Amino acid sequence: MAETSKADGGRLTTHVLDTATGRPAAGLSIALYRLDGAARTPLKTVVTNADGRCDAPLLAGADFRTGEYELVFAAGDYLRGQGTKLPAPAFLDSVPIRFGMAEPVHYHVPLLISPYGYSTYRGS
């Protein structure tokens, strides 16, 4: 897999909105992995702030590299923490999103979540 690094260009950000309540998903845990063929390397775990965002980019500067990645959102833990009654097992517990970053620019990968559905897109 080809990869590049650019100390001043690329960055990766995310945010999470709870579409069932119409509010940012504060306190939701997100794990970031780098994918290389069958290998899945953990890079970091963060928790969203009151605005449903991370306090800093997930990757930026010298840490940013093009390639394939996965974000895993702990949606079930977040929803249970909000008092949402979920069946066992929950319909959505961990929400993985796999994506590629082909050039050193800003990639924003938001998540819109509810107990029974989610969506994502490449944001700005």
Side-chain angles (χ1 to χ4, degrees), residues 9-42:
R11 67 185 167 119
L12 171 63
T13 59
T14 188
H15 77 274
V16 186
L17 298 174
D18 182 335
T19 57
T21 64
R23 296 188 309 235
L28 191 145
S29 179
I30 306 165
L32 172 65
Y33 298 87
R34 180 167 173 80
L35 306 174
D36 190 10
R40 184 175 179 250
T41 305

Side-chain angles (χ1 to χ4, degrees), residues 3-4 12 14 26 40 43 47 49 53-54 64-66 69 83 104 106 111 116-117:
E3 66 180 51
T4 61
L12 171 63
T14 188
R40 184 175 179 250
L43 299 179
V47 176
N49 62 25
R53 299 179 181 275
C54 302
F64 182 92
R65 295 185 336 183
T66 58
Y69 291 85
H106 182 199
L111 179 70
Y116 295 98

Side-chain angles (χ1 to χ4, degrees), residues 15-103:
H15 77 274
V16 186
L17 298 174
D18 182 335
T19 57
T21 64
R23 296 188 309 235
L28 191 145
S29 179
I30 306 165
L32 172 65
Y33 298 87
R34 180 167 173 80
L35 306 174
D36 190 10
R40 184 175 179 250
T41 305
L43 299 179
K44 66 172 59 175
T45 299
V46 297
V47 176
T48 57
N49 62 25
D51 291 326
R53 299 179 181 275
C54 302
D55 290 331
L58 296 169
L59 295 173
D63 291 333
F64 182 92
R65 295 185 336 183
T66 58
E68 294 179 71
Y69 291 85
E70 180 180 51
L71 288 169
V72 180
F73 297 85
D77 290 346
Y78 161 77
L79 291 165
R80 283 186 285 276
Q82 298 301 303
T84 303
K85 300 249 186 240
L86 299 177
F91 182 70
L92 295 175
D93 200 10
S94 292
V95 175
I97 299 174
R98 290 189 170 192
F99 57 96
M101 298 189 297
E103 54 189 308

